[in-house]
């Protein structure tokens, strides 16, 4: 496709000589796509609602325009690099993300139908889902029963979506109510992956993350991230649905040596405990552990937690004060049976003197829970 064909405003759009600002004007043509309006954007790019003139269907078009590396000429609409190497790196990251997302096929994940280059930058196109975002839905008055039902639907759909993308070693990195759409049938759909955006942020030493929904490691430069990063964000989103409050920012939840945490766990909400399955509440609370090692490490672990009753969790008895046993229990389910039992045998040998001492001093056993809030 020729660049000259990609940069012609359609009739009725903004005149070429009129400065359009950063965003492209309504009516602007990108090949066989015509822009209708800007629907989102920030320091890393812009998002437009457009129309495919071949099919007549509405689409969503994302444009790579990192403000720290590039700007748009108000006359020619061409994107001009402010930092050549940085912008080239951002374009490459954006293109790689588009190619990766184009391979995903899941009912709860928006698909990338095409991607192309124009105006000296990169674009990718997704079908318009319609409906409304989860954030918009939460702004309407809802009763507690309706919130519980909505949280259950979002949890089921997003766990499926995360399990799917994590199987490809892909992280979403920005799960929040804004990035979950509810289509015309109320089906939750995950949108707006932040992989390229976070790569640009790390390169420029910029911290990104939505307060209340981003885990602590996402607020730190070069911190290790994994499935547990998305798990925290999903837990925070479900917390928001159930309580109608934005969770406390993860950076503000790091307590002192007494482990003070201003976030009130869901299991302490009496109304929710009476009306909602406590296993669901416990799983969300654990998903929102401040430190990564205290959360579910995978969607599979979260699902197992939904099937485990409080009574079953309380059957794990250990002698008081034995950090070795606690470590062994924390690794259960993360290792193969051979490695788990082999490691347990080694721990028994290491802790034997302290174990005998503990048995002499403490004649009673106490229950150790994986979730300290149950204790």
């Amino acid at each position: 496709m020729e660049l000259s064909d990609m940069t012609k405003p359609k009739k009725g759009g903004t005149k070429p000589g009129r400065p359009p600002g950063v965003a492209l004007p309504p009516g602007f043509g990108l090949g066989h796509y015509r822009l209708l309006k800007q629907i989102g954007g920030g320091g890393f790019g812009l998002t437009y609602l457009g129309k495919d003139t071949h099919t007549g269907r509405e689409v969503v078009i994302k444009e790579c325009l990192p403000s720290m590396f590039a700007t748009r000429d108000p006359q020619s609409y061409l994107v001009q690099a402010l930092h050549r190497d940085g912008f080239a790196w951002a374009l490459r990251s954006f293109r790689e993300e588009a190619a990766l997302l184009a391979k995903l096929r899941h009912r709860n994940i928006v698909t990338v139908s095409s991607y192309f280059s124009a105006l000296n930058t990169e674009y990718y196109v997704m079908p318009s889902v319609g409906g409304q975002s989860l954030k918009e839905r939460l702004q309407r008055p809802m009763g507690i029963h309706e919130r519980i039902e909505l949280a259950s639907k979002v949890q089921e759909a997003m766990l499926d979506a995360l399990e799917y993308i994590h199987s490809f070693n892909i992280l979403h990195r920005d799960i929040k109510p804004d990035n979950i759409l509810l289509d015309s049938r109320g089906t939750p759909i995950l949108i707006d992956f932040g992989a390229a955006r976070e790569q640009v942020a790390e390169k420029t030493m910029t911290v990104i993350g939505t307060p209340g929904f981003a885990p602590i490691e996402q607020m730190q430069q070069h911190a290790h991230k994994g499935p547990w990063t998305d798990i925290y964000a999903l837990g925070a989103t479900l917390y928001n649905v159930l309580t109608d409050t934005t969770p406390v920012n993860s950076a503000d939840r790091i307590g002192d040596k007494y482990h003070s945490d201003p976030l009130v766990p869901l299991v302490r909400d009496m109304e929710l405990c009476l009306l909602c399955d406590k296993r669901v509440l416990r799983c969300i609370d654990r998903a929102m552990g401040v430190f990564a090692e205290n959360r579910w490490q995978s969607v599979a672990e979260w699902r197992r937690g939904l099937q485990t009753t409080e009574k079953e969790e309380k059957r794990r008895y250990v002698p008081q004060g034995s950090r070795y046993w606690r470590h062994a229990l924390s690794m259960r389910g993360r290792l193969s049976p051979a490695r788990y039992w082999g490691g347990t045998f080694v721990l028994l040998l290491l802790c034997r003197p302290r174990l005998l001492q503990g048995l002499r001093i403490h004649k009673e056993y106490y229950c150790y829970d994986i979730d300290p809030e149950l204790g």
Side-chain angles (χ1 to χ4, degrees), residues 113-125:
S113 55
S114 64
Y115 51 96
F116 57 87
S117 302
L119 301 175
N120 295 339
T121 189
E122 298 288 332
Y123 299 83
Y124 64 75
V125 183

Side-chain angles (χ1 to χ4, degrees), residues 244-270:
D244 193 25
T245 58
T246 301
V248 180
N249 189 11
S250 59
D252 298 328
R253 295 182 56 201
I254 302 177
D256 55 20
K257 62 181 179 180
Y258 299 106
H259 307 291
S260 58
D261 186 349
L263 182 75
V264 179
L266 294 177
V267 293
R268 292 185 183 175
D269 188 311
M270 297 303 297

